[in-house]
Amino acid sequence: MRSLVQLNITMGNLQAYNVKLICADIGEIDCSTPMGKVQMQIIGAIAEWEREIIVQRTKEGLDARKARGAKLGRKKRDDIPLDTVATLRMSGCSWNVISRDLKIPKATLVRRRYEVEELISKRSKKEVPE
């Protein structure tokens, strides 16, 4: 939990159900006392700050990699038989059927749908007599 708002909601729920909070390294924190409340607020504030720092550093790291020319994200699979997929799509097969028959995840196929549609479009243009 990295938000003070969420922490306060959770602590209220714990108190409503009379649940004690026991931390392994701190021990029991009694959130019904002023001292327990301030402890939780300090812990929550540090956690929220830490989360924001992690997000900032991650963004900076990704930006630095992009600036160096690194390609981010998943590598494009080069073993997808796009011609076969296009042929199956032209024959009316659904993505689910193609996925099952070719043993390729549907999400992988759908991610490449623009390439498949381009192949279908090129084939359709060739089939139309001029």
Side-chain angles (χ1 to χ4, degrees):
M1 181 172 354
R2 302 285 175 114
S3 160
L4 283 176
V5 173
Q6 186 61 44
L7 176 66
N8 286 331
I9 291 169
T10 301
M11 295 312 299
N13 290 338
L14 291 175
Q15 280 183 320
Y17 290 104
N18 199 24
V19 174
K20 292 183 180 181
L21 177 64
I22 301 173
C23 299
D25 55 346
I26 299 173
E28 182 178 339
I29 299 176
D30 184 0
C31 295
S32 64
T33 66
M35 187 62 178
K37 288 178 183 176
V38 79
Q39 273 184 301
M40 288 309 301
Q41 289 298 317
I42 291 170
I43 291 169
I46 291 170
E48 189 171 20
W49 169 80
E50 181 181 36
R51 173 76 175 117
E52 290 174 8
I53 292 297
I54 290 169
V55 168
Q56 179 182 355
R57 288 181 182 158
T58 301
K59 286 180 183 177
E60 289 171 357
L62 291 172
D63 290 343
R65 287 191 66 199
K66 283 181 194 176
R68 290 191 303 266
K71 186 175 179 190
L72 304 178
R74 186 184 302 191
K75 291 182 182 178
K76 189 182 267 190
R77 283 184 58 175
D78 58 359
D79 64 334
I80 306 294
L82 294 176
D83 287 327
T84 305
V85 175
T87 301
L88 292 170
R89 285 295 289 169
M90 288 176 76
S91 69
C93 291
S94 69
W95 291 111
N96 286 331
V97 169
I98 297 169
S99 170
R100 183 191 67 223
D101 291 349
L102 299 180
K103 295 178 178 49
I104 299 171
K106 179 183 172 187
T108 301
L109 292 174
V110 172
R111 198 176 299 119
R112 304 286 295 271
R113 73 183 175 276
Y114 298 112
E115 295 168 81
V116 172
E117 290 168 359
E118 186 177 321
L119 283 172
I120 292 171
S121 176
K122 286 179 182 176
R123 288 182 186 178
S124 297
K125 288 178 185 176
K126 286 182 181 178
E127 291 175 5
V128 175
E130 293 183 29

